[in-house]
Amino acid sequence: MSDRSAYRKPPRTVAPSKIAESIRYYAGPEAARKPTVTFLLGAGFSRSAGIKTAGEIVRDYLNPHELLRDAGAPPAGVSEYAYLMGLLEPAERTRIIKECIAPAIDPTSKRTKINWAHLLLASMVDAGYVKRILTTNFDPLIVDALALTGQAVRTFDLTSSDQYISGVLEPGSVIYLHGQAWGLLMTNTFEETDVVRKHLPAVLHESLSDSMLIVVGYSGACDPVLEELAARIPVFTHRMYWVHYGSGEPEEGVREILEAYRREAYLVRDHDADAFMRALVLEGLKVELLPLVRDPLDSVLSSLRRIMPFPLKPDEVATDPIISARESVETAIHGMGRVETPSDTDFVHHYGSLAIKVAMAGATENLARLDELRPRVEAMGDEVLRRRLGDAYLQVASSKAQSGGYSEAVELLTLVEGLDFTEPEWVPLLLGNALFEQAKAKEGEEAERLFAESYEKYDAALKIKGDKHEALYNWGAALSEQAKTKEGEEADRLFAKAYEKYDAALKIKGDKHEALCNWGAALSEQAKTKEGEEAERLFAESYEKYDAALKIKGDFHEALNMWGNALSEQAKTKEGEEAERLFAEAYEKYDAALKIKGDFHEVLYNWGTALFEQARTKEGEEADRLFAESYEKYDAALKIKGDFHEALYN
């Protein structure tokens, strides 16, 4: 692709729920159902099963490899992974790949452990939504996940054929673009990718001709698949959605595609593969889980019915084991159907289909379904099922609060307070959190009322479970926020109460680094309201808290960022060498945070603001230098997050 200017418009972003809406539109009941989605999978799709990504293979296997000590840097346009793999013999490369896949294989059963991303993709295939699955991975997880559904598994290995014939493969087929771990060839090196490169145009054109593209877990770094997407696809007719893990920007080649196809290409931020597939499949499309999970007995019976009769010997007096197995399962299912009283069978109460339906309704945030199931659960009178129902409601309420629906969360939690829960203290605790968040958005008497109600809920949680450190921690955070809205003695009183709560939380859980960090932030805020020795003391105490938090969690980049902010605030109250020293220390903290999290755009923004404040105290060339450095930091923040309007404003 051609070079583009340094400044790019930020990519258009979208939530998984909006992608689900589009899928439902094209494959809804009012239309003839047909496959509408092609998936392109990368290493990130298998990461939660324990399989290493290319970057992790470089770090853990290739960089320390005895045969690669003098490898040097890769040539331009070649990834470090492909370059280093190319220096090893094929057998050694295969050994490394198989060793990296081994963590996904259960040592007892010798079967692969299937993560939720693959399980939910198999559910989408089973529901008829998927046209094609293209994978750059070598592992068998997608094949095993499809097999678990009981549907036919259709795979094609692009490395094992001289030609690719369009229109032959069935919907839901899997195409291994780079080979398989147990195949004859895996394209690990730059030269080996030529084996599959010739097939890619036909594969991509056929897969995307009447299908949207969803890319998950794929970085695209120096890979021919990305190059073909950029060079061969004139338009994404049904759009492309690129799922990116993390808040930073994708690889340069991906950013170019997102810009070149700006009208049809969207970025999904901050989702790993499991989280994205859950949001898309369960919460968005409302696809039910596989029968094996949803209705295990029926699933087992269905599998047994697929097995042909046992080959008995002539005149053998024996019972067909398959028939016996089927009859046993049918008896269990019949027993479940006739249960009328709680004493009939423990299995139905604790592990039956009703419990699974309740759990599914909670996972998919289906309140209507929970309300429908509630009378059935209460009629059965089983304590375990009642707790599961309460936990499902709690899960929905928690999710609503996390997504900013605090009013909905408060209403729902108030409604279900009388239900049974596995951990009942979480109900008032979550109510306290939701009320606290509502209080932050209000002023005057309304804010006061909401803060007071949140404290009552935290107190109620602690009365249920006295060592619930989360309640004390959040209570401290709420008091700190309220203190920031006050002045004088009232503010000091609230800050002091907040410190008591943080201290109590730490007495229960001494390694709660978040409490130390928030305690430090509150001390910094209080210090800004003081002068002289009192301010000095509070700033010093805040630094002690940040330091203590980092001693517990050394890579706690948020603490370094807050510490840097506090130092720059204190620097603004000083002059001369003392101010210079504090600004310099702040920059050290920001730099340390970026070394831990390189795409931490907020740190760059804060660093730019501190440089700007320091520049205002200078004149001439020194001022110009500091202003220039501040602009560099703002620009770097915008390169990570292009729609970060605060950086542009400053």
Side-chain angles (χ1 to χ4, degrees):
M1 298 180 71
S2 59
D3 291 337
R4 300 184 182 275
S5 62
Y7 175 76
R8 284 196 180 96
K9 291 181 181 178
R12 300 167 73 184
T13 57
V14 69
S17 59
K18 289 296 182 183
I19 304 175
E21 283 181 16
S22 183
I23 294 172
R24 285 199 305 270
Y25 175 80
Y26 286 110
E30 70 282 354
R33 170 156 286 187
K34 63 177 183 179
T36 61
V37 186
T38 289
F39 278 86
L40 172 57
L41 312 181
F45 209 80
S46 301
R47 184 63 191 86
S48 64
I51 297 176
K52 293 182 182 293
T53 63
E56 290 170 329
I57 293 173
V58 169
R59 182 194 66 199
D60 299 338
Y61 286 88
L62 301 181
N63 282 339
H65 201 289
E66 290 184 17
L67 300 178
L68 299 174
R69 287 176 180 168
D70 302 317
V78 179
S79 71
E80 187 177 14
Y81 170 84
Y83 171 65
L84 294 175
M85 278 292 204
L87 299 177
L88 296 174
E89 296 177 354
E92 179 65 4
R93 298 201 298 265
T94 300
R95 182 194 67 78
I96 290 172
I97 293 298
K98 288 184 177 180
E99 193 168 325
C100 291
I101 291 173
I105 300 174
D106 182 83
T108 303
S109 67
K110 307 302 181 184
R111 301 289 190 270
T112 53
K113 295 178 285 186
I114 300 171
N115 60 341
W116 274 96
H118 284 95
L119 190 66
L120 293 172
L121 178 51
S123 298
M124 275 190 76
V125 174
D126 197 39
Y129 285 117
V130 178
K131 177 181 180 178
R132 195 78 73 243
I133 299 170
L134 313 177
T135 178
T136 62
N137 299 333
F138 303 126
D139 65 71
L141 293 189
I142 184 56
V143 171
D144 291 351
L146 289 167
L148 203 59
T149 69
Q151 59 189 306
V153 179
R154 302 173 178 89
T155 64
F156 181 85
D157 191 334
L158 216 56
T159 67
S160 63
S161 178
D162 288 333
Q163 59 180 328
Y164 177 82
I165 303 173
S166 297
V168 172
L169 297 184
E170 293 290 320
S173 294
V174 180
I175 300 181
Y176 277 89
L177 300 175
H178 291 171
Q180 303 175 67
W182 285 270
L184 296 175
L185 175 63
M186 289 183 284
T187 57
N188 287 295
T189 72
F190 186 74
E191 292 77 11
E192 287 171 346
T193 57
D194 287 338
V195 175
V196 301
R197 193 186 300 266
K198 61 185 178 182
H199 299 315
L200 289 176
V203 171
L204 294 173
H205 276 289
E206 186 207 16
S207 300
L208 304 179
S209 60
D210 61 350
S211 174
M212 72 172 62
L213 174 64
I214 299 179
V215 185
V216 194
Y218 175 63
S219 71
C222 303
D223 188 77
V225 178
L226 183 70
E227 295 168 16
E228 290 297 329
L229 275 177
R232 305 283 185 178
I233 304 300
V235 62
F236 291 101
T237 309
H238 293 287
R239 294 184 176 171
M240 176 185 75
Y241 301 99
W242 198 291
V243 182
H244 178 62
Y245 179 49
S247 57
E249 295 300 322
E251 292 280 341
E252 174 67 17
V254 177
R255 296 203 301 272
E256 289 193 1
I257 287 181
L258 291 169
E259 184 180 17
Y261 298 95
R262 184 173 172 75
R263 289 185 299 176
E264 308 105 38
Y266 290 78
L267 185 66
V268 182
R269 292 188 184 275
D270 298 328
H271 282 74
D272 63 18
D274 288 343
F276 171 75
M277 293 302 291
R278 170 182 167 159
L280 177 71
V281 181
L282 293 182
E283 297 163 14
L285 294 172
K286 307 293 184 187
V287 171
E288 290 190 316
L289 285 177
L290 303 175
L292 180 64
V293 180
R294 187 176 71 246
D295 202 339
L297 287 181
D298 273 344
S299 178
V300 171
L301 184 59
S302 177
S303 296
L304 288 169
R305 284 172 177 159
R306 295 178 60 192
I307 303 175
M308 299 300 290
F310 185 75
L312 295 171
K313 296 176 182 179
D315 303 321
E316 183 177 6
V317 180
T319 302
D320 186 332
I322 299 302
I323 293 176
S324 295
R326 286 207 304 257
E327 288 175 348
S328 298
V329 178
E330 285 167 351
T331 300
I333 293 172
H334 176 69
M336 288 177 64
R338 63 177 171 75
V339 170
E340 295 178 357
T341 67
S343 60
D344 276 336
T345 171
D346 287 337
F347 177 84
V348 175
H349 294 161
H350 299 291
Y351 306 104
S353 61
L354 186 55
I356 296 169
K357 288 173 183 175
V358 167
M360 274 296 300
T364 57
E365 300 179 27
N366 192 335
L367 275 176
R369 182 66 167 150
L370 281 176
D371 291 339
E372 176 189 329
L373 294 169
R374 184 172 175 178
R376 293 173 58 190
V377 170
E378 291 177 338
M380 291 187 75
D382 179 69
E383 291 182 7
V384 173
L385 270 180
R386 285 176 58 84
R387 284 199 297 271
R388 287 195 178 182
L389 179 69
D391 292 346
Y393 274 113
L394 196 61
Q395 184 176 354
V396 176
S398 176
S399 179
K400 287 189 178 298
Q402 288 174 10
S403 61
Y406 304 117
S407 297
E408 291 178 281
V410 169
E411 184 179 341
L412 182 58
L413 287 165
T414 304
L415 180 69
V416 302
E417 270 186 299
L419 294 180
D420 292 338
F421 301 91
T422 303
E423 297 179 274
E425 68 276 9
W426 275 107
V427 179
L429 197 160
L430 288 175
L431 261 171
N433 291 348
L435 289 163
F436 160 40
E437 291 294 339
Q438 284 184 307
K440 285 162 63 177
K442 302 292 182 181
E443 294 180 354
E445 290 184 3
E446 180 69 358
E448 298 294 294
R449 179 183 66 79
L450 290 165
F451 273 122
E453 286 183 20
S454 74
Y455 304 153
E456 290 174 6
K457 297 303 179 185
Y458 293 134
D459 187 51
L462 288 162
K463 279 176 179 163
I464 297 170
K465 193 173 191 299
D467 62 351
K468 195 69 176 174
H469 57 86
E470 295 93 340
L472 288 160
Y473 166 70
N474 288 322
W475 195 344
L479 285 161
S480 299
E481 282 295 326
Q482 189 178 16
K484 285 156 63 176
T485 68
K486 304 293 183 181
E487 295 179 353
E489 290 184 4
E490 179 66 2
D492 290 341
R493 181 183 67 80
L494 290 166
F495 274 124
K497 280 192 174 183
Y499 305 153
E500 288 174 8
K501 301 304 178 190
Y502 288 137
D503 187 52
L506 286 160
K507 280 183 174 139
I508 295 167
K509 185 172 173 56
D511 62 350
K512 192 164 181 64
H513 55 276
E514 301 96 336
L516 285 160
C517 187
N518 275 19
W519 192 346
L523 286 160
S524 301
E525 286 294 330
Q526 189 179 14
K528 286 158 61 176
T529 69
K530 304 294 183 182
E531 295 180 353
E533 289 185 4
E534 180 69 358
E536 298 293 295
R537 178 184 65 79
L538 289 165
F539 274 123
E541 286 184 20
S542 77
Y543 304 154
E544 289 173 5
K545 302 303 178 192
Y546 293 134
D547 187 53
L550 286 159
K551 281 186 171 126
I552 294 169
K553 185 172 170 56
D555 62 350
F556 193 22
H557 51 274
E558 292 93 340
L560 287 161
N561 178 40
M562 291 182 184
W563 194 346
N565 291 344
L567 285 161
S568 63
E569 283 293 333
Q570 189 180 16
K572 285 156 61 177
T573 69
K574 303 292 183 181
E575 295 179 353
E577 290 185 4
E578 181 67 1
E580 300 295 295
R581 180 185 66 78
L582 289 165
F583 274 123
E585 286 186 22
Y587 304 153
E588 288 175 7
K589 302 304 177 192
Y590 292 140
D591 187 54
L594 285 166
K595 281 183 174 140
I596 296 168
K597 184 172 170 58
D599 62 352
F600 198 1
H601 60 276
E602 294 95 338
V603 169
L604 288 160
Y605 168 75
N606 291 335
W607 195 343
T609 302
L611 285 161
F612 162 64
E613 291 292 342
Q614 188 180 15
R616 293 173 64 187
T617 68
K618 304 293 182 181
E619 295 180 355
E621 290 184 3
E622 180 68 0
D624 290 341
R625 180 184 65 78
L626 290 167
F627 276 123
E629 287 184 20
S630 76
Y631 306 153
E632 289 174 7
K633 301 303 179 191
Y634 288 136
D635 186 54
L638 285 160
K639 280 179 177 161
I640 294 169
K641 186 170 172 55
D643 59 353
F644 192 24
H645 57 88
E646 294 92 339
L648 282 165
Y649 175 80
N650 271 20

